[in-house]
Amino acid sequence: MKISLITGANKGIGKEICRQLLAKDFFVIISGRNTAMIRDVQKELDQELKKSLALPLDISNDESISIAVERISAMYGSIDVLVNNAGLLGNTSGLLKMTEAEFHEIFSTNALGTMKMIRAFAPLLAKAKKSRIINVSTGMSVMEGLTSSHAPYRLSKVMVNALTMIAASELESKGIEVFAVDPGWVRTDMGGPSAPLTVKEGADTIVWLATEQVGVSGGFYCRRKRISY
Ligand SMILES: NC(=O)c1ccc[n+]([C@@H]2O[C@H](COP(=O)([O-])OP(=O)(O)OC[C@H]3O[C@@H](n4cnc5c(N)ncnc54)[C@H](OP(=O)(O)O)[C@@H]3O)[C@@H](O)[C@H]2O)c1
C-alpha cells in the first residue's frame, strides 16, 4: 500500500484529498496543527482506523516537522506522496498596507513551511521506488496576472512555484517528481461561500497527479492541464 502525507488536512481541500486518496487505496497520514480536528477527520474518513494515521504537524514549526519525520521514519520507513496543502491567505493588503508581521506569518507557512517540508521529507521520499511531491499553489501566483491585492499570499505562492521547479531539478536523480497545482476557486473557509468549485473538484487535479503517471515534473497544473507559471 502506498503511503501519502497530506498537510493542513483537518478541513477544506486537504481533508478532501485524504478522502480521495483513501478511496484509491493509499495509506493516508492526515496531518494538521489542530489535533482534535485531525482525529475527527480520521474517524470520519477511516472508521476502522486501519488505513490512516492522524499526525499533529505545524509546518511553520521546526520541532513539529522533526518529530513528524522521526515518527513516520520509525513507523513506515518511506513515503510515496507528499502533498504540501497547508496554507494561509491573510487579508487583502497590498504591498504598502501589509504589515511585516502579516507578511512573516504567511511567508513562514506557505513558502518557508513548504520548503522545510520538502527538505525534511526528501530522504523518506527517496527511499520509495518512485515518489511525488504536490505543492498546492494558486492561480493568484501566475506571473502575468500579478496585482497588488493579497500581496503576502501572492508573493509566498510565487516562491512555492519556484520551489517546485528547483526541487524538481534537484530531486530528479532521487526518483522524486514535483508538481505545483492551482486547485481553482474552491468553497472552503479560505475560498468562501461564493467560490464556484466544490472541494471534490478542487482536490481532483492534486489526486490525479499523486496517483496517475501523467505529469511532467516541475510543471504547474490546473484542471488536469499544464499551465504557465
Ligand atoms: N480555496 C481556494 O479557493 C483556493 C484557491 C487556490 C489555492 N488554494 C490553496 O489550497 C490550499 C488549501 O486551502 P483551503 O481552501 O482548503 O483552505 P482552508 O480550508 O483554510 O484550509 C487551510 C488548511 O491549512 C492549514 N494550515 C495553515 N497553517 C498551517 C500550519 N502552519 N501548519 C499546518 N497546517 C496549517 C489549516 O489549518 P488550521 O485549521 O489549523 O488553520 C487548514 O487545515 C492552500 O494552500 C490554499 O492556498 C485554495
Side-chain angles (χ1 to χ4, degrees), residues 31-71:
S31 82
R33 57 186 178 171
N34 183 321
T35 308
M37 281 179 88
I38 52 171
R39 292 214 174 113
D40 286 347
V41 168
Q42 186 190 25
K43 279 185 217 146
E44 182 189 328
L45 302 184
D46 174 29
Q47 275 149 19
E48 292 180 4
L49 310 182
K50 286 187 176 157
K51 290 172 67 182
S52 63
L53 171 78
L55 182 78
L57 175 56
D58 178 343
I59 66 157
S60 67
N61 181 302
D62 290 346
E63 197 189 347
S64 177
I65 294 176
S66 299
I67 292 169
V69 171
E70 275 170 36
R71 240 184 112 185

CSV table of all heavy atoms in Angstrom, one decimal, residues 31-71:
chain,number,residue,atom,x,y,z
A,31,SER,N,-2.5,15.0,8.4
A,31,SER,CA,-1.7,15.9,9.4
A,31,SER,C,-2.3,17.3,9.4
A,31,SER,O,-3.0,17.7,8.5
A,31,SER,CB,-0.2,16.0,9.0
A,31,SER,OG,0.0,16.9,8.0
A,32,GLY,N,-2.1,17.9,10.6
A,32,GLY,CA,-2.6,19.3,10.8
A,32,GLY,C,-2.2,19.7,12.2
A,32,GLY,O,-1.7,19.0,13.0
A,33,ARG,N,-2.4,21.1,12.4
A,33,ARG,CA,-1.9,21.6,13.7
A,33,ARG,C,-3.0,21.5,14.7
A,33,ARG,O,-2.8,21.9,15.9
A,33,ARG,CB,-1.4,23.0,13.5
A,33,ARG,CG,-2.4,24.0,12.9
A,33,ARG,CD,-1.7,25.3,12.6
A,33,ARG,NE,-2.7,26.2,12.0
A,33,ARG,CZ,-2.5,27.5,11.7
A,33,ARG,NH1,-1.4,28.0,12.1
A,33,ARG,NH2,-3.4,28.2,11.1
A,34,ASN,N,-4.2,21.1,14.3
A,34,ASN,CA,-5.3,21.0,15.3
A,34,ASN,C,-5.6,19.5,15.5
A,34,ASN,O,-6.2,18.8,14.7
A,34,ASN,CB,-6.6,21.7,14.7
A,34,ASN,CG,-7.7,21.7,15.7
A,34,ASN,OD1,-7.9,20.7,16.4
A,34,ASN,ND2,-8.5,22.8,15.8
A,35,THR,N,-5.0,19.0,16.7
A,35,THR,CA,-5.0,17.6,16.9
A,35,THR,C,-6.5,17.0,17.0
A,35,THR,O,-6.7,15.9,16.4
A,35,THR,CB,-4.3,17.3,18.2
A,35,THR,OG1,-3.0,17.9,18.1
A,35,THR,CG2,-4.1,15.8,18.4
A,36,ALA,N,-7.3,17.7,17.7
A,36,ALA,CA,-8.7,17.2,17.8
A,36,ALA,C,-9.4,17.1,16.4
A,36,ALA,O,-10.0,16.1,16.1
A,36,ALA,CB,-9.5,18.2,18.7
A,37,MET,N,-9.2,18.1,15.6
A,37,MET,CA,-9.8,18.1,14.3
A,37,MET,C,-9.2,17.0,13.4
A,37,MET,O,-10.0,16.3,12.7
A,37,MET,CB,-9.6,19.4,13.5
A,37,MET,CG,-10.6,20.5,14.0
A,37,MET,SD,-10.4,22.1,13.2
A,37,MET,CE,-11.4,21.9,11.8
A,38,ILE,N,-7.9,16.7,13.4
A,38,ILE,CA,-7.4,15.6,12.5
A,38,ILE,C,-7.9,14.3,13.0
A,38,ILE,O,-8.1,13.4,12.2
A,38,ILE,CB,-5.9,15.7,12.3
A,38,ILE,CG1,-5.1,15.7,13.7
A,38,ILE,CG2,-5.4,16.7,11.4
A,38,ILE,CD1,-3.6,15.5,13.5
A,39,ARG,N,-8.1,14.1,14.3
A,39,ARG,CA,-8.6,12.9,14.9
A,39,ARG,C,-10.1,12.7,14.4
A,39,ARG,O,-10.5,11.6,14.0
A,39,ARG,CB,-8.5,12.8,16.4
A,39,ARG,CG,-7.1,12.8,16.8
A,39,ARG,CD,-6.9,11.9,18.1
A,39,ARG,NE,-5.5,11.8,18.4
A,39,ARG,CZ,-4.9,12.4,19.4
A,39,ARG,NH1,-5.6,13.1,20.3
A,39,ARG,NH2,-3.6,12.2,19.6
A,40,ASP,N,-10.8,13.8,14.4
A,40,ASP,CA,-12.2,13.7,13.9
A,40,ASP,C,-12.3,13.3,12.4
A,40,ASP,O,-13.1,12.5,12.0
A,40,ASP,CB,-13.0,15.0,14.1
A,40,ASP,CG,-13.3,15.2,15.6
A,40,ASP,OD1,-13.2,14.3,16.4
A,40,ASP,OD2,-13.6,16.4,16.0
A,41,VAL,N,-11.4,13.9,11.7
A,41,VAL,CA,-11.3,13.6,10.2
A,41,VAL,C,-11.0,12.2,10.0
A,41,VAL,O,-11.6,11.5,9.2
A,41,VAL,CB,-10.3,14.5,9.5
A,41,VAL,CG1,-10.0,14.0,8.1
A,41,VAL,CG2,-10.7,16.0,9.5
A,42,GLN,N,-10.0,11.7,10.8
A,42,GLN,CA,-9.7,10.3,10.7
A,42,GLN,C,-10.8,9.4,11.0
A,42,GLN,O,-11.1,8.4,10.2
A,42,GLN,CB,-8.5,9.9,11.6
A,42,GLN,CG,-8.0,8.5,11.4
A,42,GLN,CD,-7.0,8.0,12.4
A,42,GLN,OE1,-7.0,8.5,13.6
A,42,GLN,NE2,-6.1,7.1,12.1
A,43,LYS,N,-11.6,9.7,12.1
A,43,LYS,CA,-12.8,8.8,12.4
A,43,LYS,C,-13.8,8.9,11.3
A,43,LYS,O,-14.5,7.9,11.0
A,43,LYS,CB,-13.3,9.3,13.7
A,43,LYS,CG,-12.6,8.8,15.0
A,43,LYS,CD,-13.3,9.2,16.2
A,43,LYS,CE,-12.3,9.6,17.3
A,43,LYS,NZ,-12.7,10.6,18.2
A,44,GLU,N,-14.0,10.1,10.7
A,44,GLU,CA,-15.0,10.2,9.7
A,44,GLU,C,-14.6,9.5,8.4
A,44,GLU,O,-15.4,8.8,7.8
A,44,GLU,CB,-15.2,11.7,9.3
A,44,GLU,CG,-16.3,12.0,8.3
A,44,GLU,CD,-16.3,13.4,7.8
A,44,GLU,OE1,-16.0,14.3,8.7
A,44,GLU,OE2,-16.6,13.7,6.7
A,45,LEU,N,-13.3,9.6,8.0
A,45,LEU,CA,-12.9,9.0,6.7
A,45,LEU,C,-12.5,7.5,6.7
A,45,LEU,O,-12.5,6.8,5.7
A,45,LEU,CB,-11.8,9.8,6.1
A,45,LEU,CG,-12.0,11.3,5.9
A,45,LEU,CD1,-10.8,12.0,5.2
A,45,LEU,CD2,-13.3,11.6,5.0
A,46,ASP,N,-12.0,7.1,7.9
A,46,ASP,CA,-11.5,5.7,8.0
A,46,ASP,C,-11.9,5.2,9.3
A,46,ASP,O,-11.2,5.1,10.3
A,46,ASP,CB,-9.9,5.9,8.0
A,46,ASP,CG,-9.2,4.5,8.2
A,46,ASP,OD1,-9.8,3.5,7.9
A,46,ASP,OD2,-8.1,4.6,8.8
A,47,GLN,N,-13.2,4.7,9.3
A,47,GLN,CA,-13.9,4.3,10.6
A,47,GLN,C,-13.1,3.3,11.4
A,47,GLN,O,-13.1,3.3,12.6
A,47,GLN,CB,-15.3,3.9,10.3
A,47,GLN,CG,-16.2,5.2,10.2
A,47,GLN,CD,-17.4,5.0,9.3
A,47,GLN,OE1,-17.8,3.9,9.0
A,47,GLN,NE2,-18.0,6.1,8.9
A,48,GLU,N,-12.5,2.4,10.7
A,48,GLU,CA,-11.7,1.3,11.4
A,48,GLU,C,-10.3,1.7,11.8
A,48,GLU,O,-9.6,1.0,12.5
A,48,GLU,CB,-11.7,0.0,10.6
A,48,GLU,CG,-13.1,-0.6,10.4
A,48,GLU,CD,-13.1,-1.8,9.6
A,48,GLU,OE1,-12.0,-2.3,9.2
A,48,GLU,OE2,-14.2,-2.3,9.3
A,49,LEU,N,-9.9,2.9,11.4
A,49,LEU,CA,-8.6,3.5,11.7
A,49,LEU,C,-7.4,2.6,11.3
A,49,LEU,O,-6.4,2.5,12.0
A,49,LEU,CB,-8.5,3.8,13.2
A,49,LEU,CG,-9.6,4.6,13.9
A,49,LEU,CD1,-9.3,4.8,15.4
A,49,LEU,CD2,-9.8,5.9,13.2
A,50,LYS,N,-7.6,1.9,10.2
A,50,LYS,CA,-6.6,0.9,9.7
A,50,LYS,C,-5.8,1.5,8.5
A,50,LYS,O,-4.7,1.0,8.2
A,50,LYS,CB,-7.3,-0.4,9.3
A,50,LYS,CG,-7.7,-1.2,10.5
A,50,LYS,CD,-8.2,-2.6,10.1
A,50,LYS,CE,-8.5,-3.4,11.3
A,50,LYS,NZ,-9.5,-4.5,11.0
A,51,LYS,N,-6.4,2.4,7.8
A,51,LYS,CA,-5.7,2.9,6.6
A,51,LYS,C,-5.2,4.3,6.7
A,51,LYS,O,-4.9,5.0,5.7
A,51,LYS,CB,-6.7,2.8,5.4
A,51,LYS,CG,-7.0,1.4,5.0
A,51,LYS,CD,-8.1,1.3,4.0
A,51,LYS,CE,-7.7,1.9,2.7
A,51,LYS,NZ,-8.8,1.9,1.7
A,52,SER,N,-5.1,4.8,7.9
A,52,SER,CA,-4.7,6.2,8.1
A,52,SER,C,-4.0,6.4,9.5
A,52,SER,O,-4.1,5.5,10.4
A,52,SER,CB,-5.9,7.1,8.0
A,52,SER,OG,-6.8,6.8,9.0
A,53,LEU,N,-3.3,7.5,9.6
A,53,LEU,CA,-2.7,7.9,10.9
A,53,LEU,C,-3.0,9.4,11.0
A,53,LEU,O,-2.9,10.2,10.0
A,53,LEU,CB,-1.2,7.7,10.8
A,53,LEU,CG,-0.4,8.3,12.0
A,53,LEU,CD1,-0.5,7.4,13.2
A,53,LEU,CD2,1.1,8.5,11.6
A,54,ALA,N,-3.5,9.8,12.2
A,54,ALA,CA,-3.7,11.3,12.4
A,54,ALA,C,-2.4,11.8,13.1
A,54,ALA,O,-2.0,11.3,14.2
A,54,ALA,CB,-4.9,11.5,13.4
A,55,LEU,N,-1.8,12.7,12.4
A,55,LEU,CA,-0.4,13.2,12.9
A,55,LEU,C,-0.4,14.7,13.1
A,55,LEU,O,-0.6,15.5,12.2
A,55,LEU,CB,0.6,12.8,11.8
A,55,LEU,CG,2.0,13.2,12.1
A,55,LEU,CD1,2.6,12.1,13.1
A,55,LEU,CD2,2.9,13.2,10.9
A,56,PRO,N,-0.1,15.1,14.4
A,56,PRO,CA,0.0,16.6,14.6
A,56,PRO,C,1.2,17.1,13.8
A,56,PRO,O,2.3,16.5,13.9
A,56,PRO,CB,0.2,16.7,16.1
A,56,PRO,CG,-0.2,15.4,16.7
A,56,PRO,CD,0.0,14.3,15.6
A,57,LEU,N,1.0,18.2,13.1
A,57,LEU,CA,2.1,18.8,12.3
A,57,LEU,C,1.8,20.2,12.0
A,57,LEU,O,0.9,20.5,11.2
A,57,LEU,CB,2.3,17.9,11.0
A,57,LEU,CG,3.4,18.4,10.0
A,57,LEU,CD1,4.7,18.6,10.6
A,57,LEU,CD2,3.5,17.5,8.8
A,58,ASP,N,2.6,21.1,12.5
A,58,ASP,CA,2.6,22.5,12.2
A,58,ASP,C,3.8,22.8,11.3
A,58,ASP,O,4.9,22.7,11.7
A,58,ASP,CB,2.7,23.3,13.5
A,58,ASP,CG,2.7,24.8,13.2
A,58,ASP,OD1,2.9,25.3,12.1
A,58,ASP,OD2,2.4,25.6,14.2
A,59,ILE,N,3.5,23.1,10.0
A,59,ILE,CA,4.6,23.2,9.1
A,59,ILE,C,5.4,24.5,9.3
A,59,ILE,O,6.5,24.7,8.6
A,59,ILE,CB,4.1,23.1,7.6
A,59,ILE,CG1,3.2,24.3,7.2
A,59,ILE,CG2,3.4,21.8,7.3
A,59,ILE,CD1,3.2,24.6,5.7
A,60,SER,N,5.0,25.4,10.2
A,60,SER,CA,5.8,26.6,10.4
A,60,SER,C,6.7,26.4,11.6
A,60,SER,O,7.4,27.3,12.1
A,60,SER,CB,4.9,27.8,10.6
A,60,SER,OG,4.2,27.7,11.8
A,61,ASN,N,6.7,25.1,12.2
A,61,ASN,CA,7.4,24.9,13.4
A,61,ASN,C,8.5,23.8,13.2
A,61,ASN,O,8.1,22.6,12.9
A,61,ASN,CB,6.4,24.5,14.5
A,61,ASN,CG,7.1,24.2,15.8
A,61,ASN,OD1,7.9,23.3,16.0
A,61,ASN,ND2,6.6,24.9,16.8
A,62,ASP,N,9.8,24.1,13.3
A,62,ASP,CA,10.8,23.2,13.0
A,62,ASP,C,10.7,21.9,13.9
A,62,ASP,O,10.9,20.8,13.4
A,62,ASP,CB,12.2,23.8,13.3
A,62,ASP,CG,12.5,24.9,12.2
A,62,ASP,OD1,11.9,24.9,11.2
A,62,ASP,OD2,13.5,25.7,12.5
A,63,GLU,N,10.4,22.1,15.2
A,63,GLU,CA,10.4,20.9,16.0
A,63,GLU,C,9.3,20.0,15.6
A,63,GLU,O,9.4,18.7,15.6
A,63,GLU,CB,10.2,21.4,17.5
A,63,GLU,CG,10.6,20.3,18.5
A,63,GLU,CD,10.2,20.7,19.9
A,63,GLU,OE1,9.9,21.9,20.2
A,63,GLU,OE2,10.2,19.8,20.7
A,64,SER,N,8.1,20.6,15.3
A,64,SER,CA,7.0,19.8,14.9
A,64,SER,C,7.3,18.9,13.6
A,64,SER,O,7.0,17.8,13.5
A,64,SER,CB,5.8,20.7,14.6
A,64,SER,OG,4.7,20.0,14.2
A,65,ILE,N,8.0,19.6,12.7
A,65,ILE,CA,8.4,18.8,11.5
A,65,ILE,C,9.4,17.7,11.8
A,65,ILE,O,9.2,16.6,11.3
A,65,ILE,CB,9.0,19.8,10.4
A,65,ILE,CG1,8.0,20.8,9.9
A,65,ILE,CG2,9.6,19.0,9.3
A,65,ILE,CD1,8.5,21.9,9.0
A,66,SER,N,10.4,18.0,12.7
A,66,SER,CA,11.4,16.9,13.1
A,66,SER,C,10.7,15.8,13.7
A,66,SER,O,11.0,14.6,13.4
A,66,SER,CB,12.4,17.5,14.1
A,66,SER,OG,13.1,18.5,13.5
A,67,ILE,N,9.7,16.0,14.6
A,67,ILE,CA,9.0,14.9,15.3
A,67,ILE,C,8.2,14.1,14.3
A,67,ILE,O,8.2,12.9,14.3
A,67,ILE,CB,8.1,15.5,16.4
A,67,ILE,CG1,8.9,16.1,17.5
A,67,ILE,CG2,7.2,14.4,17.0
A,67,ILE,CD1,8.2,16.9,18.6
A,68,ALA,N,7.6,14.8,13.3
A,68,ALA,CA,6.8,14.1,12.3
A,68,ALA,C,7.7,13.2,11.5
A,68,ALA,O,7.4,12.0,11.2
A,68,ALA,CB,6.1,15.1,11.4
A,69,VAL,N,8.9,13.7,11.1
A,69,VAL,CA,9.8,12.9,10.3
A,69,VAL,C,10.3,11.7,11.1
A,69,VAL,O,10.2,10.5,10.5
A,69,VAL,CB,11.1,13.7,9.9
A,69,VAL,CG1,12.2,12.8,9.2
A,69,VAL,CG2,10.7,14.8,8.9
A,70,GLU,N,10.6,11.9,12.3
A,70,GLU,CA,11.1,10.7,13.1
A,70,GLU,C,10.0,9.7,13.3
A,70,GLU,O,10.2,8.5,13.2
A,70,GLU,CB,11.5,11.2,14.5
A,70,GLU,CG,12.9,11.7,14.6
A,70,GLU,CD,13.2,12.4,15.9
A,70,GLU,OE1,12.7,12.0,17.0
A,70,GLU,OE2,13.9,13.4,15.9
A,71,ARG,N,8.8,10.1,13.5
A,71,ARG,CA,7.7,9.2,13.7
A,71,ARG,C,7.4,8.4,12.5
A,71,ARG,O,7.2,7.2,12.5
A,71,ARG,CB,6.4,10.0,14.1
A,71,ARG,CG,5.9,9.5,15.5
A,71,ARG,CD,4.6,10.2,15.9
A,71,ARG,NE,3.5,9.3,15.9
A,71,ARG,CZ,2.3,9.6,16.1
A,71,ARG,NH1,2.0,10.9,16.3
A,71,ARG,NH2,1.3,8.7,16.1
